[in-house]
Amino acid sequence: MSGALAHKIASGGRITPAEALKLFESEDIFALGELAALAAKRKNGNKVFYIRNVHVNPTNICVNRCRFCAFSRSRGEAGAYELTNREIVRKLKKIRRKNEKAFDEVHIVGGLHPDWVFEHYLEMLEAIKENFPGVNIKGFTAVEADHMRKKSGLPLREVFRRLRDSGLDVMPGGGAEIFHPDVRNALCPEKLSGKDWLKVMKEAHNAGIKTNATMLYGHIENYGHRVAHLQSLRRLQDETDGFQAFIPLPYQPETEIGGRASSGIEDLKCIAVSRIFLDNFDHIKAYWVMLGEKLSQVALLFGADDLEGTVIEEKIAHSAGARTKYGLTEAELSRMIAKAGKKAVRRDSFYRRLV
């Protein structure tokens, strides 16, 4: 890494895609980490955020068969399931009975069910809000929202209006994978294109719904594909200011694609470059479910300022080979943050501090 580029980053200048590529190619991981940590400190000081949340995956029955997904099933296939809205509420009540402070957020992501009508999702949101007032709902990826558009025949803006009015607060960032068409067509040819993913998120932002954004890396993409992906996100954020957090997701190898998991150095590099390049994103998340607890803790020194949360009963990443726990306690998260020399802040879905 050149001294001029390091000085530009340290002084808060916006780097170009070509400069981001140089950062990915750099072998000076410590200098990169220091610069990313400085960028994170400018955004959030010494704070690291987490949330008490529970994951609900309503169904794994999906019309798409993405090669990197070990979660989805076809109807009638072994392991296929679908939860009714009543079963979802019952499941959440059971968790609350064990611990009344178990969650402040319900995170909903599932397969693209071939038969569920749009109203089913609206009723799901309404049932959760009715039974758990005050809880935020972060639900449905851009891919799921586009599926709802197709099922309902409604324009996206109306889909988002109805979701919002039924209780949707924010959206996760899944389904982005890698935007480049060559990579995307090899990974998930049935899924909406990267261009369409960005269009869906733009409509969500225009409807007043904040979202996250992701990038799945470490499979068949190269550094250039990653930089182009980040550039597309930064460009849309300049336009809408609708993204809250970016989450780099390391590919899990126990899928149809196979291969090897990314190294810890590669994971830290991706966190650091993302923090430096995405200067208009307030938060970079170290998703402990896929990174592992110890590496996620180290990532807090490489530009990450959010550990996600307690993540009760996550299934999708674990189906693909994640070896982490099925949830962490609030005490465990706070301890991880404190041991990294950071200040733990419990948040809601909008990054507002909770006491």
Side-chain angles (χ1 to χ4, degrees):
M1 185 193 314
S2 70
L5 178 53
H7 177 74
K8 182 178 183 179
I9 296 168
S11 60
R14 169 168 278 196
I15 68 169
T16 67
E19 289 169 332
L21 185 59
K22 289 180 180 178
L23 295 181
F24 271 120
E25 293 171 344
S26 172
E27 296 182 1
D28 194 346
I29 187 67
F30 297 110
L32 183 59
E34 287 180 0
L35 291 168
L38 181 60
K41 187 175 182 179
R42 278 197 296 261
K43 287 284 186 182
N44 296 294
N46 204 40
K47 297 189 292 291
V48 170
F49 300 87
Y50 71 93
I51 192 168
R52 299 191 305 209
N53 62 345
V54 58
H55 278 221
V56 173
N57 306 119
T59 183
N60 63 352
I61 298 172
C62 187
V63 298
N64 287 348
R65 310 304 289 168
C66 301
R67 293 182 62 207
F68 60 84
C69 181
F71 173 73
S72 64
R73 298 288 187 276
S74 298
R75 182 186 290 282
E77 185 179 352
Y81 75 89
E82 51 189 304
L83 300 176
T84 66
N85 290 338
R86 185 171 297 179
E87 287 172 330
I88 290 172
V89 170
R90 190 181 306 133
K91 178 187 183 78
L92 293 172
K93 284 184 175 179
K94 183 178 179 181
I95 293 171
R96 268 284 176 86
R97 281 196 297 271
K98 292 181 180 178
N99 179 5
E100 64 178 16
K101 297 180 180 180
F103 56 88
D104 299 307
E105 175 189 85
V106 176
H107 180 128
I108 306 172
V109 174
L112 309 183
H113 198 287
D115 301 326
W116 285 359
V117 297
F118 181 43
E119 287 71 23
H120 177 83
Y121 298 96
L122 301 180
E123 291 165 3
M124 183 187 303
L125 295 169
E126 290 163 359
I128 293 171
K129 284 289 188 177
E130 180 181 352
N131 285 275
F132 304 94
V135 165
N136 292 145
I137 299 178
K138 180 169 70 179
F140 313 127
T141 64
V143 180
E144 290 173 277
D146 189 62
H147 181 66
M148 295 175 198
R149 176 191 63 82
K150 293 175 182 176
K151 296 291 289 184
S152 67
L154 297 170
L156 268 174
R157 62 180 176 274
E158 181 64 13
V159 168
F160 285 128
R161 185 191 70 80
R162 296 193 184 186
L163 288 170
R164 185 193 63 215
D165 291 350
S166 294
L168 182 67
D169 293 299
V170 298
M171 289 174 61
E177 323 314 355
I178 289 287
F179 292 144
H180 194 282
D182 291 345
V183 177
R184 201 171 187 86
N185 289 337
L187 291 177
C188 47
E190 297 171 311
K191 186 172 284 186
L192 83 169
S193 68
K195 185 176 180 180
D196 286 338
W197 187 97
L198 292 163
K199 286 182 179 179
V200 172
M201 286 309 202
K202 182 177 179 179
E203 286 287 352
H205 298 169
N206 289 341
I209 300 173
K210 294 287 189 178
T211 78
N212 289 341
T214 61
M215 177 176 70
L216 184 71
Y217 67 91
H219 37 84
I220 60 174
E221 91 292 353
N222 59 38
Y223 287 152
H225 296 138
R226 294 186 196 179
V227 171
H229 187 101
L230 294 174
Q231 171 70 350
S232 294
L233 292 175
R234 190 170 76 173
R235 188 182 297 119
L236 181 56
Q237 182 73 335
D238 278 341
E239 182 178 351
T240 67
D241 194 31
F243 290 118
Q244 295 199 114
F246 174 70
I247 309 104
L249 299 173
Y251 162 70
Q252 305 294 304
E254 292 186 15
T255 66
E256 182 182 329
I257 302 173
R260 296 181 179 180
S262 57
S263 69
I265 296 297
E266 193 65 27
D267 293 333
L268 292 175
K269 182 182 288 187
C270 203
I271 290 277
V273 176
S274 299
R275 175 62 286 168
I276 293 167
F277 188 79
L278 295 176
D279 53 6
N280 52 4
F281 276 65
D282 286 338
H283 305 286
I284 302 295
K285 187 175 295 188
Y287 189 45
W288 67 262
V289 174
M290 296 174 80
L291 289 174
E293 293 132 75
K294 291 183 178 181
L295 189 60
S296 294
Q297 187 181 41
V298 177
L300 301 182
L301 306 178
F302 280 74
D305 66 278
D306 185 6
L307 279 183
E308 175 55 8
T310 50
V311 193
I312 303 169
E313 296 194 10
E314 192 282 336
K315 292 182 179 179
I316 296 176
H318 284 93
S319 296
R323 301 301 186 197
T324 47
K325 298 179 182 178
Y326 283 84
L328 290 176
T329 67
E330 185 175 355
E332 287 173 320
L333 285 167
S334 295
R335 187 162 51 249
M336 286 169 62
I337 295 168
K339 289 292 186 180
K342 304 290 184 177
K343 180 180 179 181
V345 177
R346 183 166 69 90
R347 63 173 177 87
D348 68 3
S349 299
F350 299 96
Y351 284 84
R352 296 177 300 209
R353 181 171 185 165
L354 298 176
V355 294

